[in-house]
Amino acid sequence: MAQLAVINPDSLHGWPPKSPAETVCHMALSKVETHLYTSLNDFLSQKDFEMRPDLKQFRRETPTGFQNIILSFSPYQAETYLEVNIGTRLNMVEEIVQQFLDNMPEFWRQANTVVVSVGKINDAKYFRYRIADDEDLHVCTEQVIEFMDQRGFMFLEYASHLKNLDVMFNAKPHQSVKYLYNQLHRCFKGVVIARLSHNPHFLTLIEQYHDKLLKLGASPTNMAEYDRLVNYLLHFSAN
């Protein structure tokens, strides 16, 4: 049966497929991956999510960016381990902040604003599924569907709005947030979100995130880019 273990999310990149059938045909997918993509597609396509295994995810475009469900497979001997992450992207945030982060430009358009594992949402940090047989495949599929129905879709909707992201990132600036793996990037995104959402504590947050970056061991290059971002935001006109 599906069990718990440790996993690190895979990096995501690729190009959009022409159709689910063509994708499965052309991608070198294992039996486990093929089963999960096709089974979940029957459910998620009804919610307007597109199957994109080349990007290791299902994605739904929104007026402000996208929502995604990311599948990270780790085969090990006769078993496969799966971690599921869900997240959102707000274009208005990423189109600003990516210029000041250390990500490669070719990945900017695919960057999430928030991304969090099923385990973290359920306060089970190291949760992942262990799949060893057909029964495990069925159970895993049903559990992912159940999670999305009970919590996942609500989270994606909540995290698709700027004001809600301002609460998620900036309500407690001295604490880490579980909605992003890189806490350095959280500081950059936090000030961008604060500026775009007209957060009344924007100037205070600038100083708080500056101090937090130093405590996190940010490099001189990181600090210089943060200062450059702040200067940009101070002169930025947010409508």
Side-chain angles (χ1 to χ4, degrees):
M1 302 295 288
Q3 297 184 8
L4 307 180
V6 181
I7 188 172
N8 292 320
D10 296 338
S11 59
L12 307 175
H13 63 279
W15 44 266
K18 295 181 180 180
S19 71
E22 183 178 5
T23 300
V24 172
C25 179
H26 284 80
M27 298 293 291
L29 301 180
S30 69
K31 174 186 175 181
V32 169
E33 292 171 310
T34 300
H35 176 93
L36 282 169
Y37 277 118
T38 55
S39 297
L40 290 174
N41 186 62
D42 292 340
F43 168 69
L44 292 171
S45 62
Q46 300 176 39
K47 307 288 187 179
D48 298 323
F49 279 84
E50 179 185 4
M51 183 174 71
R52 299 179 65 170
D54 53 295
L55 293 173
K56 304 186 185 298
Q57 64 187 255
F58 290 85
R59 180 180 292 189
R60 175 167 63 187
E61 302 295 329
T62 69
T64 57
F66 61 69
Q67 302 170 350
N68 56 2
I69 303 164
I70 305 164
L71 307 181
S72 298
F73 296 94
S74 297
Y76 180 73
Q77 296 182 355
E79 302 172 342
T80 297
Y81 292 87
L82 169 69
E83 184 177 57
V84 179
N85 284 265
I86 63 175
T88 65
R89 172 191 171 95
L90 263 66
N91 290 333
M92 66 174 71
V93 174
E94 298 306 315
E95 288 169 0
I96 293 175
V97 76
Q98 289 298 320
Q99 305 172 61
F100 303 92
L101 299 178
D102 50 6
N103 296 328
M104 298 296 290
E106 55 265 34
F107 298 119
W108 290 0
R109 291 174 60 86
Q110 308 299 340
N112 278 63
T113 304
V114 297
V115 61
V116 61
S117 69
V118 169
K120 283 188 176 181
I121 289 181
N122 289 328
D123 296 319
K125 183 177 179 181
Y126 298 110
F127 176 84
R128 67 175 182 169
Y129 303 96
R130 182 177 68 85
I131 303 169
D133 53 34
D134 289 343
E135 183 182 0
D136 287 346
L137 272 172
H138 175 74
V139 171
C140 178
T141 302
E142 292 302 310
Q143 288 181 347
V144 172
I145 290 173
E146 181 181 21
F147 167 79
M148 292 306 302
D149 271 337
Q150 292 183 353
R151 302 193 66 178
F153 292 129
M154 288 187 293
F155 173 84
L156 292 177
E157 177 60 26
Y158 183 85
S160 294
H161 298 279
L162 184 65
K163 287 294 184 181
N164 295 336
L165 288 176
D166 190 36
V167 174
M168 294 165 68
F169 276 77
N170 297 322
K172 299 178 180 179
H174 294 297
Q175 296 182 13
S176 297
V177 295
K178 64 181 179 181
Y179 309 110
L180 203 64
Y181 285 97
N182 190 319
Q183 294 301 309
L184 292 176
H185 289 186
R186 176 271 182 96
C187 298
F188 284 74
K189 294 190 180 192
V191 292
V192 172
I193 291 168
R195 183 69 181 92
L196 292 174
S197 62
H198 304 282
N199 187 311
H201 305 293
F202 170 63
L203 295 179
T204 300
L205 287 166
I206 288 175
E207 297 302 321
Q208 290 175 319
Y209 283 131
H210 180 275
D211 293 344
K212 189 173 184 67
L213 283 168
L214 291 175
K215 290 179 180 178
L216 289 170
S219 69
T221 300
N222 292 145
M223 298 306 301
E225 288 301 304
Y226 181 77
D227 290 341
R228 195 165 69 90
L229 171 60
V230 167
N231 184 63
Y232 173 87
L233 294 173
L234 289 172
H235 296 86
F236 176 78
S237 176
N239 297 324

